[in-house]
Amino acid sequence: IVPPEVSAISRDPDANITTVSFTATTDRLHSLETSGDLITWVPVASALPVDGVVTFTHECAELQQFYRVVIP
């Protein structure tokens, strides 16, 4: 298993949407988690990679948000 590596992250402040893309191990479920304090993490979404890449879109009005990708 290759650890996920963020390849792109962007935010649309008008729509309050953050998009996170990362390289991923094929055939392994990957989950995006978010935190406002780096202590409490909340799952946002899970997906299988397509051609070794996963892209998540997260709607959030918070100005500061931390993200991590985990393989459950």
Coordinates of all heavy atoms in Angstrom, one line a residue:
I1 N 0.9 -1.2 0.0 CA 0.0 0.0 0.0 C 0.9 1.2 0.0 O 1.8 1.4 0.8 CB -0.9 0.0 1.2 CG1 -1.9 -1.2 1.2 CG2 -1.7 1.3 1.3 CD1 -2.7 -1.3 2.4
V2 N 0.6 2.1 -0.9 CA 1.4 3.4 -1.0 C 0.6 4.4 -0.3 O -0.6 4.6 -0.5 CB 1.5 3.8 -2.5 CG1 2.2 5.1 -2.6 CG2 2.3 2.7 -3.3
P3 N 1.2 5.2 0.6 CA 0.5 6.2 1.4 C -0.1 7.3 0.4 O 0.5 7.6 -0.6 CB 1.5 6.9 2.3 CG 2.6 5.9 2.3 CD 2.6 5.1 1.0
P4 N -1.3 7.7 0.6 CA -1.9 8.8 -0.2 C -1.1 10.0 -0.2 O -0.5 10.4 0.9 CB -3.3 9.0 0.4 CG -3.5 8.0 1.4 CD -2.2 7.3 1.7
E5 N -1.0 10.7 -1.3 CA -0.2 11.9 -1.4 C -1.1 13.0 -2.1 O -1.5 12.8 -3.2 CB 1.0 11.7 -2.2 CG 1.9 12.9 -2.2 CD 3.2 12.7 -2.9 OE1 3.8 11.6 -2.7 OE2 3.7 13.5 -3.7
V6 N -1.3 14.1 -1.4 CA -2.1 15.2 -1.9 C -1.4 15.7 -3.2 O -0.3 16.1 -3.1 CB -2.4 16.3 -0.9 CG1 -3.1 17.5 -1.5 CG2 -3.2 15.8 0.3
S7 N -2.2 15.8 -4.3 CA -1.6 16.3 -5.5 C -2.2 17.7 -5.8 O -1.6 18.5 -6.6 CB -1.9 15.4 -6.7 OG -3.3 15.1 -6.8
A8 N -3.3 18.0 -5.3 CA -3.9 19.4 -5.5 C -5.0 19.7 -4.4 O -5.7 18.7 -4.0 CB -4.6 19.4 -6.9
I9 N -5.0 20.9 -4.0 CA -6.1 21.3 -3.1 C -6.5 22.8 -3.5 O -5.6 23.6 -3.8 CB -5.7 21.2 -1.6 CG1 -6.9 21.6 -0.7 CG2 -4.5 22.1 -1.3 CD1 -6.7 21.2 0.7
S10 N -7.8 23.0 -3.6 CA -8.2 24.4 -4.0 C -9.5 24.7 -3.3 O -10.2 23.8 -2.8 CB -8.4 24.5 -5.5 OG -9.5 23.6 -5.9
R11 N -9.8 26.0 -3.1 CA -11.0 26.4 -2.4 C -11.7 27.5 -3.3 O -11.0 28.4 -3.7 CB -10.6 27.0 -1.1 CG -11.8 27.5 -0.3 CD -11.6 27.6 1.2 NE -12.6 28.2 1.9 CZ -13.8 27.7 2.2 NH1 -14.1 26.5 1.8 NH2 -14.7 28.4 2.8
D12 N -13.0 27.4 -3.4 CA -13.8 28.4 -4.0 C -14.5 29.1 -2.9 O -15.5 28.6 -2.3 CB -14.8 27.7 -5.0 CG -15.8 28.7 -5.6 OD1 -15.8 29.9 -5.2 OD2 -16.4 28.4 -6.6
P13 N -14.0 30.3 -2.5 CA -14.6 31.0 -1.3 C -16.0 31.5 -1.6 O -16.8 31.6 -0.6 CB -13.7 32.2 -1.1 CG -13.0 32.4 -2.4 CD -12.9 31.0 -3.1
D14 N -16.4 31.7 -2.8 CA -17.8 32.2 -3.1 C -18.8 31.0 -2.8 O -19.9 31.3 -2.4 CB -17.9 32.7 -4.5 CG -17.1 33.9 -4.7 OD1 -16.9 34.7 -3.8 OD2 -16.5 34.1 -5.8
A15 N -18.4 29.8 -3.2 CA -19.3 28.7 -3.0 C -19.0 27.9 -1.7 O -19.7 26.9 -1.4 CB -19.2 27.7 -4.2
N16 N -18.0 28.3 -1.0 CA -17.6 27.5 0.3 C -17.3 26.1 0.0 O -17.7 25.2 0.7 CB -18.6 27.7 1.4 CG -18.7 29.1 1.9 OD1 -17.7 29.8 2.0 ND2 -19.9 29.5 2.3
I17 N -16.6 25.8 -1.1 CA -16.2 24.4 -1.5 C -14.7 24.3 -1.6 O -14.0 25.1 -2.3 CB -16.9 24.1 -2.9 CG1 -18.4 24.1 -2.7 CG2 -16.4 22.8 -3.4 CD1 -19.2 23.8 -4.0
T18 N -14.3 23.2 -1.0 CA -12.8 22.8 -1.1 C -12.7 21.5 -1.9 O -13.5 20.6 -1.7 CB -12.2 22.6 0.3 OG1 -12.3 23.9 1.0 CG2 -10.8 22.2 0.2
T19 N -11.8 21.5 -2.8 CA -11.6 20.3 -3.6 C -10.2 19.8 -3.3 O -9.2 20.5 -3.3 CB -11.7 20.6 -5.1 OG1 -13.0 21.1 -5.4 CG2 -11.5 19.3 -6.0
V20 N -10.1 18.5 -3.0 CA -8.9 17.8 -2.6 C -8.7 16.6 -3.6 O -9.5 15.8 -3.7 CB -8.9 17.3 -1.2 CG1 -7.5 16.7 -0.8 CG2 -9.2 18.5 -0.2
S21 N -7.5 16.6 -4.2 CA -7.2 15.5 -5.1 C -5.9 14.8 -4.6 O -5.0 15.5 -4.1 CB -6.9 15.9 -6.6 OG -8.1 16.4 -7.1
F22 N -5.8 13.5 -4.7 CA -4.6 12.8 -4.2 C -4.4 11.5 -5.0 O -5.3 11.0 -5.5 CB -4.6 12.6 -2.7 CG -5.8 11.8 -2.3 CD1 -5.8 10.5 -2.1 CD2 -7.0 12.5 -1.9 CE1 -6.9 9.7 -1.7 CE2 -8.1 11.8 -1.5 CZ -8.0 10.4 -1.4
T23 N -3.1 11.1 -5.0 CA -2.8 9.8 -5.6 C -3.2 8.8 -4.6 O -3.1 9.0 -3.4 CB -1.3 9.7 -5.9 OG1 -0.5 10.0 -4.8 CG2 -0.9 10.8 -7.0
A24 N -3.5 7.6 -5.1 CA -4.1 6.6 -4.2 C -3.8 5.2 -4.7 O -3.5 5.0 -5.9 CB -5.6 6.8 -4.1
T25 N -3.8 4.2 -3.8 CA -3.6 2.8 -4.2 C -4.9 2.3 -4.8 O -6.0 2.4 -4.2 CB -3.2 2.0 -2.9 OG1 -2.0 2.6 -2.4 CG2 -3.0 0.6 -3.3
T26 N -4.8 1.7 -6.0 CA -5.9 1.2 -6.7 C -6.6 0.0 -5.9 O -5.8 -0.7 -5.2 CB -5.5 0.6 -8.1 OG1 -4.9 1.7 -8.8 CG2 -6.7 0.1 -8.9
D27 N -7.9 -0.1 -5.9 CA -8.7 -1.1 -5.2 C -8.7 -1.0 -3.7 O -9.0 -1.9 -3.0 CB -8.2 -2.5 -5.6 CG -8.4 -2.8 -7.1 OD1 -9.3 -2.2 -7.7 OD2 -7.6 -3.5 -7.7
R28 N -8.3 0.2 -3.2 CA -8.3 0.4 -1.7 C -9.2 1.6 -1.5 O -9.1 2.6 -2.1 CB -7.0 0.7 -1.2 CG -6.0 -0.4 -1.2 CD -6.4 -1.6 -0.4 NE -6.6 -1.2 1.0 CZ -6.1 -1.8 2.0 NH1 -5.3 -2.9 1.9 NH2 -6.3 -1.4 3.3
L29 N -10.2 1.5 -0.5 CA -11.0 2.6 -0.2 C -10.2 3.6 0.5 O -9.4 3.3 1.4 CB -12.2 2.0 0.7 CG -13.2 3.0 1.1 CD1 -14.1 3.4 -0.2 CD2 -14.2 2.5 2.2
H30 N -10.4 4.9 0.2 CA -9.8 6.0 0.8 C -10.8 6.9 1.4 O -11.9 7.1 0.8 CB -8.9 6.8 -0.2 CG -7.7 6.0 -0.7 ND1 -7.8 4.9 -1.4 CD2 -6.4 6.2 -0.4 CE1 -6.6 4.5 -1.7 NE2 -5.7 5.3 -1.1
S31 N -10.6 7.5 2.5 CA -11.5 8.4 3.2 C -10.9 9.8 3.4 O -9.7 9.9 3.9 CB -12.0 7.8 4.5 OG -12.7 6.6 4.3
L32 N -11.7 10.8 3.2 CA -11.2 12.2 3.5 C -11.8 12.5 4.9 O -13.0 12.3 5.1 CB -11.7 13.2 2.4 CG -11.3 14.6 2.7 CD1 -9.8 14.8 2.5 CD2 -12.1 15.5 1.7
E33 N -11.0 13.1 5.8 CA -11.5 13.5 7.1 C -11.1 15.0 7.2 O -10.2 15.5 6.6 CB -10.8 12.7 8.2 CG -11.2 11.2 8.1 CD -10.6 10.4 9.3 OE1 -9.6 10.9 9.9 OE2 -11.1 9.3 9.5
T34 N -11.9 15.7 8.1 CA -11.7 17.1 8.3 C -11.7 17.4 9.8 O -12.3 16.7 10.6 CB -12.8 17.9 7.6 OG1 -12.5 19.3 7.7 CG2 -14.1 17.7 8.1
S35 N -11.0 18.5 10.1 CA -10.9 18.9 11.5 C -10.7 20.4 11.6 O -10.0 21.0 10.7 CB -9.7 18.2 12.2 OG -9.5 18.7 13.5
G36 N -11.2 21.0 12.6 CA -11.0 22.4 12.9 C -9.9 22.6 13.9 O -9.4 23.8 14.0
D37 N -9.4 21.6 14.6 CA -8.5 21.7 15.6 C -7.3 20.7 15.6 O -6.5 20.7 16.5 CB -9.2 21.7 17.0 CG -9.9 20.4 17.2 OD1 -9.7 19.4 16.5 OD2 -10.7 20.3 18.2
L38 N -7.3 19.9 14.6 CA -6.3 18.8 14.5 C -6.3 17.7 15.6 O -5.5 16.9 15.7 CB -4.8 19.4 14.4 CG -4.5 20.2 13.2 CD1 -3.1 20.8 13.4 CD2 -4.5 19.3 12.0
I39 N -7.4 17.8 16.4 CA -7.6 16.8 17.4 C -8.8 15.9 17.1 O -8.7 14.7 17.1 CB -7.8 17.4 18.8 CG1 -6.5 18.2 19.2 CG2 -8.2 16.4 19.9 CD1 -6.6 19.1 20.4
T40 N -9.9 16.5 16.8 CA -11.1 15.8 16.5 C -11.3 15.7 15.0 O -11.3 16.8 14.3 CB -12.4 16.5 17.1 OG1 -12.1 16.6 18.5 CG2 -13.6 15.7 16.8
W41 N -11.3 14.5 14.4 CA -11.5 14.3 13.0 C -12.8 13.7 12.6 O -13.3 12.8 13.3 CB -10.3 13.4 12.5 CG -9.0 14.0 12.6 CD1 -8.1 14.0 13.6 CD2 -8.4 14.9 11.6 NE1 -7.0 14.8 13.3 CE2 -7.2 15.3 12.1 CE3 -8.8 15.3 10.3 CZ2 -6.3 16.2 11.4 CZ3 -8.0 16.2 9.6 CH2 -6.7 16.6 10.2
V42 N -13.4 14.2 11.6 CA -14.8 13.8 11.1 C -14.7 13.3 9.7 O -14.1 14.0 8.8 CB -15.7 15.0 11.2 CG1 -17.1 14.6 10.7 CG2 -15.8 15.6 12.7
P43 N -15.2 12.1 9.4 CA -15.2 11.7 8.0 C -16.1 12.5 7.2 O -17.2 12.9 7.6 CB -15.7 10.2 8.1 CG -16.0 10.0 9.5 CD -15.8 11.2 10.3
V44 N -15.6 12.8 5.9 CA -16.4 13.6 5.0 C -16.9 12.7 3.9 O -18.1 12.8 3.5 CB -15.5 14.7 4.4 CG1 -16.2 15.5 3.3 CG2 -15.0 15.7 5.5
A45 N -16.1 11.9 3.3 CA -16.5 11.0 2.2 C -15.4 9.9 2.0 O -14.3 10.0 2.5 CB -16.6 11.9 0.9
S46 N -15.9 8.9 1.3 CA -15.0 7.8 1.0 C -15.2 7.4 -0.5 O -16.2 7.6 -1.0 CB -15.3 6.5 1.8 OG -15.0 6.8 3.2
A47 N -14.1 6.9 -1.1 CA -14.1 6.6 -2.5 C -13.0 5.7 -2.9 O -12.0 5.6 -2.2 CB -14.1 7.8 -3.4
L48 N -13.2 4.9 -4.0 CA -12.1 4.1 -4.6 C -11.5 5.0 -5.7 O -12.1 5.8 -6.3 CB -12.7 2.9 -5.2 CG -13.2 1.8 -4.3 CD1 -14.0 0.7 -5.0 CD2 -12.1 1.2 -3.5
P49 N -10.2 4.8 -5.8 CA -9.5 5.6 -6.8 C -9.8 5.2 -8.3 O -10.2 4.1 -8.5 CB -8.0 5.4 -6.6 CG -7.9 4.2 -5.7 CD -9.3 4.0 -5.1
V50 N -9.8 6.2 -9.2 CA -9.9 6.0 -10.6 C -8.6 6.3 -11.2 O -8.2 7.5 -11.1 CB -11.1 6.8 -11.2 CG1 -11.2 6.6 -12.7 CG2 -12.4 6.5 -10.5
D51 N -8.0 5.4 -11.9 CA -6.7 5.6 -12.5 C -5.6 6.1 -11.5 O -4.8 7.0 -11.8 CB -6.7 6.5 -13.7 CG -7.5 5.9 -14.8 OD1 -7.5 4.6 -15.0 OD2 -8.2 6.6 -15.5
G52 N -5.7 5.6 -10.2 CA -4.8 6.0 -9.2 C -5.0 7.4 -8.6 O -4.1 7.9 -7.9
V53 N -6.1 8.0 -8.8 CA -6.4 9.3 -8.3 C -7.8 9.4 -7.6 O -8.8 8.8 -8.2 CB -6.3 10.4 -9.4 CG1 -6.7 11.8 -8.9 CG2 -5.0 10.4 -10.0
V54 N -7.9 10.0 -6.5 CA -9.2 10.3 -5.9 C -9.4 11.8 -5.7 O -8.4 12.5 -5.4 CB -9.3 9.6 -4.5 CG1 -10.6 10.0 -3.8 CG2 -9.2 8.1 -4.6
T55 N -10.6 12.3 -6.0 CA -10.9 13.7 -5.9 C -12.1 13.8 -5.0 O -13.2 13.2 -5.3 CB -11.1 14.4 -7.2 OG1 -9.9 14.3 -8.0 CG2 -11.4 15.9 -7.0
F56 N -12.0 14.6 -3.9 CA -13.2 14.8 -3.1 C -13.5 16.3 -3.1 O -12.6 17.2 -3.2 CB -12.9 14.5 -1.6 CG -12.8 13.0 -1.3 CD1 -11.6 12.5 -0.9 CD2 -13.9 12.2 -1.4 CE1 -11.5 11.2 -0.6 CE2 -13.8 10.9 -1.2 CZ -12.6 10.3 -0.7
T57 N -14.8 16.6 -3.0 CA -15.3 18.0 -2.9 C -16.0 18.1 -1.6 O -16.9 17.3 -1.3 CB -16.3 18.3 -4.1 OG1 -15.5 18.2 -5.3 CG2 -16.7 19.8 -4.0
H58 N -15.7 19.1 -0.8 CA -16.3 19.3 0.5 C -16.8 20.7 0.7 O -16.1 21.7 0.5 CB -15.2 19.0 1.6 CG -15.7 19.2 3.0 ND1 -15.0 20.0 3.9 CD2 -16.7 18.7 3.6 CE1 -15.7 20.0 5.0 NE2 -16.7 19.2 4.9
E59 N -18.1 20.8 1.0 CA -18.7 22.1 1.2 C -18.5 22.5 2.7 O -19.0 21.7 3.6 CB -20.2 22.1 0.8 CG -20.8 23.5 0.9 CD -22.2 23.5 0.4 OE1 -22.6 22.5 -0.3 OE2 -23.0 24.4 0.8
C60 N -17.9 23.6 3.0 CA -17.7 24.0 4.4 C -17.5 25.5 4.4 O -16.7 26.1 3.7 CB -16.4 23.3 4.9 SG -16.0 23.7 6.6
A61 N -18.2 26.2 5.3 CA -18.2 27.6 5.5 C -17.0 28.1 6.4 O -16.7 29.3 6.4 CB -19.5 28.1 6.0
E62 N -16.4 27.1 7.1 CA -15.3 27.5 8.0 C -14.1 28.1 7.2 O -13.7 27.5 6.1 CB -14.8 26.3 8.8 CG -15.9 25.6 9.6 CD -16.3 26.5 10.8 OE1 -15.5 27.3 11.3 OE2 -17.5 26.5 11.1
L63 N -13.5 29.1 7.7 CA -12.3 29.7 7.0 C -11.1 28.9 7.2 O -10.2 28.8 6.3 CB -12.1 31.1 7.5 CG -13.2 32.1 7.1 CD1 -12.9 33.5 7.7 CD2 -13.4 32.2 5.6
Q64 N -11.0 28.2 8.3 CA -9.8 27.3 8.5 C -10.3 25.9 8.7 O -11.1 25.6 9.6 CB -9.0 27.8 9.8 CG -7.8 26.9 10.1 CD -7.0 27.5 11.2 OE1 -6.5 28.6 11.1 NE2 -6.8 26.7 12.2
Q65 N -9.7 25.0 7.9 CA -10.1 23.6 8.0 C -8.9 22.8 7.6 O -8.2 23.1 6.7 CB -11.3 23.4 7.0 CG -12.1 22.2 7.3 CD -12.9 22.2 8.6 OE1 -13.1 21.2 9.2 NE2 -13.3 23.4 9.0
F66 N -8.7 21.7 8.3 CA -7.6 20.8 8.1 C -8.2 19.5 7.4 O -9.3 19.1 7.8 CB -6.9 20.5 9.4 CG -6.3 21.6 10.0 CD1 -6.9 22.3 11.1 CD2 -5.1 22.2 9.6 CE1 -6.4 23.4 11.7 CE2 -4.5 23.3 10.3 CZ -5.2 23.9 11.3
Y67 N -7.4 18.9 6.6 CA -7.8 17.7 5.9 C -6.7 16.6 6.0 O -5.6 17.0 6.0 CB -8.1 18.0 4.4 CG -9.3 18.9 4.2 CD1 -9.1 20.2 4.0 CD2 -10.6 18.4 4.1 CE1 -10.2 21.1 3.8 CE2 -11.7 19.2 3.9 CZ -11.5 20.5 3.8 OH -12.5 21.4 3.6
R68 N -7.2 15.4 6.0 CA -6.3 14.3 5.9 C -7.0 13.2 5.2 O -8.2 13.1 5.1 CB -5.8 13.8 7.3 CG -6.8 13.1 8.1 CD -6.2 12.7 9.4 NE -7.2 12.0 10.3 CZ -7.0 11.6 11.5 NH1 -5.8 11.8 12.1 NH2 -8.0 11.0 12.2
V69 N -6.2 12.3 4.6 CA -6.7 11.2 3.8 C -6.2 9.9 4.6 O -5.1 9.8 4.9 CB -6.2 11.1 2.4 CG1 -6.6 9.9 1.6 CG2 -6.6 12.4 1.7
V70 N -7.2 9.0 4.8 CA -6.8 7.8 5.5 C -7.3 6.6 4.7 O -8.2 6.7 3.9 CB -7.4 7.7 6.9 CG1 -6.9 8.8 7.8 CG2 -8.9 7.8 6.9
I71 N -6.7 5.4 4.9 CA -7.1 4.2 4.3 C -7.7 3.4 5.5 O -6.9 2.9 6.3 CB -6.0 3.4 3.6 CG1 -5.4 4.3 2.5 CG2 -6.4 2.1 3.1 CD1 -4.1 3.7 1.9
P72 N -9.0 3.2 5.5 CA -9.6 2.6 6.7 C -9.3 1.1 6.7 O -8.9 0.5 5.8 CB -11.1 2.8 6.5 CG -11.3 3.4 5.2 CD -10.0 3.7 4.6

